[in-house]
Structure formats: C-alpha cells, structure tokens
Amino acid sequence: MDRKVVVPGDLLSEDAKRSGEGTFVKDGNVYSLLYGLANYRDKINVIPLAGKYMPAAGDNVIGVVKDITFSNWIVDINSPYDGLLHISEFPRRIESDEMSKYLRIGSSIMARVKDVDPTMKVELTLNDRKLGPIRTGQVVEISHTRVPRLIGKGGSMISMLKKEVKCSIFVGQNGRIWINGSADDTDLALKTIALIEKEAHTNGLTDRIVNFLKAEKKARS
C-alpha cells in the first residue's frame, strides 16, 4: 500500500535514511510528525490532512493586502503569520508615498515567499515575471493540504489541467488558486479543482480526472 493515514508518533520505518517531510527520526526509526497521509516511496513523506498553512521559502502564494506601513505592505497569506512585502520587492521603483497607488488595501497579489526567519517573519517578493497584482480572473480557495495533489508529481496534474481547460492557472501553496479564462473554461477548471480536492486522498486520481474532463467536454459539445 502506497499511502495510509497516520497520526503523530506512528512508526513508519526502521530505516532512518527514509525520513522525509512530515517525519522525524528517533533511535534510528522514522516516526510521523503529523496527522496525515504517509506516502511510502524512496523517502517516506507525510502529507498533512489538517492544520494551518505554514509558509516556507520558495512557496508561491496568493495574498490580500490588509495594511500599508511606511515601507511594507502587510499581506494576508491564509496563514497564522502575515507576509511582509517590502517596497524594494515591488517590480518597479516606487516611493513610499506612492505605495497605495500600486497596491491598496484589499488588492490581491501573486507572490513568492522570499524568506522565513526563526521568529516567523515572512518576507515576500514580486520580483519575477510570473508574479504581481491580480487584476483579472478569479481566486478560489481549497485546503492547502490538497495542493500537492493538484500540482501532481513533477507538475503533471496542473500541466494537464491547464492544457485541457485552456486557462491560465497560478497555484499558491497556501491553498489559493488564480484562474483566468473564458466563462465556460473557468467553470470547467473550478469543477475539476473541486473534484481533485474532494478525492485527493485516493489512488488513481489522474486517470479519473482525465475521464471526468473527457465526459464534461463531450457533454458540452
């Protein structure tokens, strides 16, 4: 069996070298750190089934500006910790008195976590062509624990989805997803994402999603 539900402290392996994300090693054995799904491959990873999103450097996130200070936008990133977007991480040079012209309170952004320090100060950046303010499309939210299944191994699931539904899609590791396309394509993308979220814990998901998309397209033609 490739996956099973585990709780903190469950023994997963007697080979310490197999310890992956969501596990810890004690006396040479690998134990679960989380309540989640244990994935038994070369490394054993535990995917959390509950809990809040905890930001990590390199994560893509979708955030909403909740406050503006002298040099930072304070951003809600669907986490117990706010993100800080410093004025220097905006893709063009602006002065502090112009900040609200470019991002006001309530603005949504596609950002990346630049750094997280030991005190959980979360620094964001927009310095990438794929990042920036959201001005079109719509944002939906799923459990952040389902994001790995939406992305798929090596990005396989999300690549297939973008191709089949003909939408631009940006997936935030914090569970927020931006979709931009025609009304019909967006509707199909939303239905498919909802199905992936619902059945993320099951095996053979990719094949079911492919068949679902074929059936939906046939019904619409």
Side-chain angles (χ1 to χ4, degrees):
M1 183 166 59
D2 283 338
R3 296 165 180 262
K4 71 172 184 177
V5 176
V6 295
V7 298
D10 276 1
L11 175 64
L12 304 179
S13 172
E14 295 178 354
D15 181 359
K17 293 178 182 176
R18 296 189 68 196
S19 175
E21 290 186 22
T23 71
F24 68 94
V25 176
K26 184 178 179 182
D27 299 330
N29 295 325
V30 181
Y31 297 89
S32 177
L33 188 65
L34 309 167
Y35 164 60
L37 279 176
N39 199 349
Y40 292 84
R41 301 238 169 124
D42 294 334
K43 293 277 189 182
I44 300 173
N45 299 303
V46 178
I47 304 165
L49 287 175
K52 297 286 189 180
Y53 164 68
M54 300 301 286
D59 283 359
N60 288 330
V61 295
I62 292 177
V64 180
V65 176
K66 57 188 285 189
D67 201 0
I68 303 172
T69 66
F70 175 72
S71 59
N72 283 292
W73 288 276
I74 313 298
V75 184
D76 163 26
I77 54 170
N78 197 30
S79 166
Y81 306 97
D82 289 332
L84 300 176
L85 176 64
H86 192 266
I87 192 171
S88 62
E89 296 298 330
F90 196 80
R92 61 178 291 177
R93 183 178 174 82
I94 60 176
E95 301 300 326
S96 58
D97 60 357
E98 300 178 304
M99 290 173 66
S100 61
K101 292 181 183 178
Y102 292 90
L103 290 175
R104 59 173 64 96
I105 292 173
S107 294
S108 295
I109 58 172
M110 294 181 280
R112 183 166 297 130
V113 177
K114 183 180 180 183
D115 189 46
V116 182
D117 76 6
T119 67
M120 293 307 295
K121 177 185 176 185
V122 183
E123 297 180 26
L124 304 177
T125 184
L126 297 185
N127 282 321
D128 187 304
R129 283 186 308 161
K130 297 177 182 177
L131 309 175
I134 295 175
R135 308 200 192 282
T136 59
Q138 67 182 91
V139 175
V140 295
E141 198 168 300
I142 65 171
S143 168
H144 73 93
T145 62
R146 302 298 198 250
V147 167
R149 288 291 263 164
L150 175 59
I151 294 172
K153 190 175 181 181
S156 56
M157 182 75 85
I158 193 63
S159 295
M160 180 270 288
L161 184 57
K162 287 177 181 177
K163 180 181 176 184
E164 292 297 324
V165 301
K166 298 181 175 64
C167 288
S168 296
I169 303 174
F170 179 94
V171 179
Q173 262 86 14
N174 61 338
R176 291 176 180 159
I177 301 146
W178 171 76
I179 305 164
N180 192 32
S182 70
D184 284 349
D185 290 338
T186 298
D187 180 61
L188 181 56
L190 290 170
K191 284 185 176 180
T192 309
I193 289 168
L195 182 60
I196 293 169
E197 179 182 26
K198 180 182 176 184
E199 301 193 6
H201 61 289
T202 61
N203 291 320
L205 182 59
T206 301
D207 289 341
R208 280 202 305 287
I209 294 301
V210 168
N211 291 335
F212 170 77
L213 286 167
K214 283 181 181 176
E216 285 288 315
K217 287 183 173 183
K218 186 175 181 181
R220 295 176 186 212
S221 61

